[in-house]
Amino acid sequence: DADVTQTPRNRITKTGKRIMLECSQTKGHDRMYWYRQDPGLGLRLIYYSFDVKDINKGEISDGYSVSRQAQAKFSLSLESAIPNQTALYFCATSGRTGGFGPQHFGDGTRLSIL
Amino acid sequence: GQQVMQIPQYQHVQEGEDFTTYCNSSTTLSNIQWYKQRPGGHPVFLIQLVKSGEVKKQKRLTFQFGEAKKNSSLHITATQTTDVGTYFCAGPYNQGGKLIFGQGTELSVKP
């Protein structure tokens, strides 16, 4: 079983729709992250959370919101999807507090907005 | 703002040739991490370097961290088709517990 699970794996939707991407983890990590990946741009951080009561914006948070429902769950929402949000989205977790431990990624959600 | 630049963006090699990707930061890094993403897959952590001038090896992969802790490299000796994928470096962003990733180097290996 995957330690970091993302659902759905693929989603096609229309402009203006509200979309939620979900991430759950069984690693017991406190830190969770949402990234988007676009060709040639690497991984860009959208939001991150260091515990249930901590939510922080990343470098490209506009148009996105998140919810940390529990230590193990971190969801990403697009309130009104637009075509330039078409991308591959990754959730990641990290367990090192006060330092920079390795990040563990889910399999990704491929999102297409028409 | 803080940036992590990676070159080249693409590298095509014949199987058995060597490969190197370079990572440069606009600021001094406390550490640097390397990840590999296979086609259709997700990034997987390879290694973390912490010390100035550090060199670490994993079989045919050699990782270096520069003396000034602003650059790093990954060298693969005698590439194999299993090395295909995109290699990312990543460094801490403003010491805030999050990473900034380079754009990645996509490696293709011709048998």
Side-chain angles (χ1 to χ4, degrees), chain A residues 24-108:
Chain A
S24 63
Q25 52 113 348
T26 58
K27 299 189 74 68
H29 288 166
D30 290 324
R31 299 182 173 189
M32 298 187 74
Y33 309 81
W34 275 105
Y35 293 92
R36 67 175 279 176
Q37 184 175 28
D38 300 276
L41 297 179
L43 294 154
R44 293 184 292 166
L45 184 63
I46 306 172
Y47 271 95
Y48 62 103
S49 169
F50 286 173
D51 64 45
V52 175
K53 297 180 181 179
D54 177 75
I55 301 290
N56 303 279
K57 292 183 177 180
E59 49 184 319
I60 54 163
S61 59
D62 287 349
Y64 302 94
S65 62
V66 291
S67 174
R68 185 81 184 265
Q69 301 96 322
Q71 188 208 33
K73 295 182 182 292
F74 192 37
S75 59
L76 175 71
S77 293
L78 288 68
E79 296 300 325
S80 180
I82 55 177
N84 74 2
Q85 291 177 312
T86 292
L88 181 57
Y89 290 83
F90 285 106
C91 173
T93 74
S94 177
R96 185 82 60 87
T97 56
F100 302 96
Q103 296 197 359
H104 302 266
F105 287 79
D107 288 336

Side-chain angles (χ1 to χ4, degrees), chain B:
Chain B
Q2 184 179 357
Q3 290 186 327
V4 174
M5 306 298 292
Q6 203 173 340
I7 56 170
Q9 187 172 357
Y10 301 98
Q11 186 77 56
H12 308 286
V13 300
Q14 193 77 32
E15 189 173 23
E17 292 180 340
D18 291 356
F19 159 78
T20 304
T21 174
Y22 300 91
C23 183
N24 292 285
S25 171
S26 58
T27 60
T28 301
L29 300 171
S30 60
N31 69 87
I32 194 157
Q33 299 180 13
W34 285 91
Y35 292 77
K36 176 183 178 180
Q37 183 179 18
R38 295 181 185 274
H42 59 270
V44 175
F45 174 79
L46 294 176
I47 206 162
Q48 178 171 293
L49 305 174
V50 179
K51 299 178 182 177
S52 170
E54 188 170 13
V55 178
K56 286 189 176 181
K57 292 189 176 184
Q58 290 180 349
K59 297 183 180 178
R60 295 178 294 103
L61 278 61
T62 301
F63 303 85
Q64 294 189 347
F65 200 12
E67 294 289 341
K69 302 183 77 172
K70 295 182 70 174
N71 58 73
S72 182
S73 65
L74 159 59
H75 179 83
I76 302 178
T77 303
T79 55
Q80 300 176 359
T81 55
T82 53
D83 296 324
V84 165
T86 301
Y87 294 85
F88 293 98
C89 62
Y93 181 74
N94 287 342
Q95 306 300 313
K98 53 191 185 292
L99 294 175
I100 182 168
F101 282 80
Q103 302 95 320
T105 296
E106 183 178 340
L107 172 65
S108 63
V109 179
K110 186 175 181 181

